[in-house]
Amino acid sequence: MRVVDTSVWIEWLIGSALGKNLAAQIPAREQCLVPTIVQLELSKWLTREVGEEAADQMIAYTQRCVVVPLDTRIALLAADLHRQHRLATADAIVYATALEHGADLLTCDAHFTALPGVIYVPKLA
């Protein structure tokens, strides 16, 4: 199982060189965990950058993956991770979701660099 962070989805959606390379690391839908906070971030970004129709299409795509809602267990783990690693709230929720489900996390976000279970692929300068 793998959680794909918003940063990876955005690179994939814009068709960047990095996004094209990352496409091979995005798992099949039944192995792809999508935290609801990632759906929120994608919807916000796509609506702002491309439009509502693109946002709706991407959310429909993620709904065919394994959507993981924010529940109390994940929220409390995220609070601990926020304190331990100084992660932003959304990042802590994404990481907590991966840990709670025994999944790895694929990300381009440097905040996750040294954390266990993270596959960090830096953005090209």
Side-chain angles (χ1 to χ4, degrees), residues 18-60:
L18 177 59
K20 290 175 185 172
N21 289 336
L22 287 168
Q25 295 189 55
I26 297 173
R29 291 181 184 138
E30 63 275 0
Q31 294 295 311
C32 186
L33 300 175
V34 181
T36 51
I37 192 80
V38 168
Q39 289 180 313
L40 179 146
E41 291 177 324
L42 284 170
S43 181
K44 282 176 46 181
W45 184 85
L46 281 162
T47 299
R48 182 181 66 243
E49 298 296 324
V50 184
E52 237 176 276
E53 185 176 327
D56 290 346
Q57 289 174 358
M58 184 61 192
I59 297 308

Side-chain angles (χ1 to χ4, degrees), residues 1 4 16-17 29 34 36 41 53-54 57 59 63 72 75 78-79 83-84 94 97 99-100 103 109 113 124:
M1 299 296 275
V4 177
S16 70
R29 291 181 184 138
V34 181
T36 51
E41 291 177 324
E53 185 176 327
Q57 289 174 358
I59 297 308
Q63 287 179 310
T72 301
R83 284 189 298 277
Q84 290 172 18
V94 170
T97 301
L99 293 178
E100 183 67 22
D109 187 339
T113 303
L124 305 173

